[in-house]
């Protein structure tokens, strides 16, 4: 512990210690230690995540807060308790939050992974916006999404020039994030139209539409009298 230290001594002729008239200021340096009462927090987006922690180190520490590999903030010369609010907007804010403290002596860190509940969002999807298909082509649509709780998944299909929505059978594949694929053969012109993916959980739902166009042309006849 840093502070002012004084030497005291005695010999066989003395009953008590005698303090020296000299004293010395001693400053002890030690690497930062981060403590926090946070262990497991469930938060529903959108909301604020409160990161409260204490930094004990000498000298004071430079603190950096990360979400995964992204730097959220840098705080210089930190000692004692600190709070930082993180805006939780969607499932993209899931993952590990890390507090790192560095001073002249060493390094300390604290990791925290909240349970973030969120409505479904689409992260990536196949791009068929400007693609034309032929009869007999293989249609392969992939959508990567995030949701907590897990989303219910449903594909539907609306053929061109019709208002009838048809359910489509699919195969769902689980990866690091959730992913679903739709694979089918465009066997005839009745397979061309709008394919709609619906993702839904208790917090909300989202639709993603894919317009599948062909290189064929429809011919229409108009009767005149």
């Amino acid at each position: 512990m840093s502070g002012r230290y004084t030497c005291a001594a005695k010999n066989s002729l003395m009953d008590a210690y005698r303090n020296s008239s000299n004293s010395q200021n001693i400053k002890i340096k030690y690497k930062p230690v981060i403590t926090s009462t946070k262990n497991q927090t469930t938060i529903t987006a959108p909301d604020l995540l409160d990161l409260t922690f204490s930094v004990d180190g000498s000298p004071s520490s430079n603190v950096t807060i990360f979400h995964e590999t992204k730097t959220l903030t840098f705080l210089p010369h930190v000692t004692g308790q600190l709070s930082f609010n993180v805006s939780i907007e969607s499932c993209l804010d899931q993952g590990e939050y890390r507090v790192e403290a560095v001073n002249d002596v060493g390094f300390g860190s604290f990791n925290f992974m909240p349970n973030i509940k969120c409505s479904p969002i689409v992260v990536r999807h196949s791009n068929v916006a400007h693609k034309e298909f032929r009869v007999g082509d293989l249609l392969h649509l992939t959508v990567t999404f995030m949701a907590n709780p897990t989303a219910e998944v449903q594909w539907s299909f609306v053929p061109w020039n019709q208002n009838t929505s048809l359910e489509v059978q699919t195969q769902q594949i689980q990866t690091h994030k959730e992913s679903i694929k739709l694979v089918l053969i465009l066997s005839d012109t009745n397979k061309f139209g709008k394919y709609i993916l619906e993702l839904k959980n208790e917090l909300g739902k989202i639709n993603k539409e894919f317009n599948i166009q062909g290189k064929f042309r429809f011919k229409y006849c108009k009767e005149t009298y």
Side-chain angles (χ1 to χ4, degrees):
M1 181 179 293
S2 301
R4 180 181 293 272
Y5 288 79
T6 301
C7 180
K10 72 173 184 176
N11 59 23
S12 59
L13 300 177
M14 302 170 59
D15 295 329
Y17 284 94
R18 178 177 296 178
N19 290 332
S20 170
S21 59
N22 296 324
S23 61
Q24 182 70 41
N25 289 324
I26 298 177
K27 188 170 186 179
I28 299 175
K29 294 184 176 182
Y30 53 97
K31 70 179 184 179
V33 176
I34 302 175
T35 56
S36 177
T37 57
K38 293 284 185 183
N39 45 38
Q40 180 65 38
T41 295
T42 298
I43 185 170
T44 302
D47 204 344
L48 290 177
L49 172 64
D50 175 30
L51 290 177
T52 300
F53 56 92
S54 293
V55 180
D56 180 22
S58 180
S60 61
S61 304
N62 292 330
V63 171
T64 308
I65 301 176
F66 299 90
H67 173 223
E68 299 290 352
T69 58
K70 179 183 178 182
T71 300
L72 299 180
T73 191
F74 173 78
L75 304 166
H77 311 302
V78 174
T79 300
Q81 183 170 298
L82 190 68
S83 291
F84 180 75
N85 286 328
V86 181
S87 179
I88 303 298
E89 301 294 337
S90 71
C91 294
L92 292 175
D93 297 311
Q94 291 179 338
E96 184 180 75
Y97 289 82
R98 187 172 74 261
V99 180
E100 294 184 354
V102 180
N103 64 11
D104 295 344
V105 182
F107 164 88
S109 67
F110 166 74
N111 297 334
F112 176 65
M113 185 174 291
N115 177 30
I116 296 177
K117 300 180 70 175
C118 45
S119 60
I121 60 168
V122 172
V123 180
R124 290 187 304 275
H125 61 82
S126 301
N127 185 5
V128 295
H130 304 291
K131 186 174 181 179
E132 290 187 335
F133 294 87
R134 298 178 184 270
V135 172
D137 283 351
L138 182 68
L139 176 63
H140 190 160
L141 300 176
T142 302
V143 179
T144 301
F145 62 93
M146 301 176 70
N148 185 25
T150 302
E152 298 176 11
V153 178
Q154 182 176 356
W155 282 98
S156 59
F157 170 60
V158 180
W160 288 129
N161 305 311
Q162 295 186 29
N163 294 322
T164 304
S165 179
L166 307 174
E167 187 174 348
V168 181
Q169 298 298 320
T170 63
Q171 178 183 9
Q172 187 172 1
I173 299 176
Q174 301 289 337
T175 59
H176 173 64
K177 295 184 177 68
E178 292 172 289
S179 179
I180 186 167
K181 291 183 179 180
L182 173 63
V183 181
L184 55 85
I185 298 176
L186 299 172
S187 56
D188 54 54
T189 57
N190 293 326
K191 293 292 194 298
F192 291 78
K194 183 184 296 182
Y195 289 83
I196 305 168
L197 172 65
E198 180 182 88
L199 303 168
K200 179 174 65 174
N201 66 9
E202 64 188 44
L203 298 176
K205 70 176 181 178
I206 187 173
N207 290 340
K208 180 61 187 176
E209 297 183 356
F210 299 88
N211 291 316
I212 305 305
Q213 307 176 80
K215 288 189 175 182
F216 54 87
R217 294 289 183 268
F218 288 107
K219 294 184 178 179
Y220 299 95
C221 297
K222 182 179 180 181
E223 295 184 357
T224 59
Y225 298 92

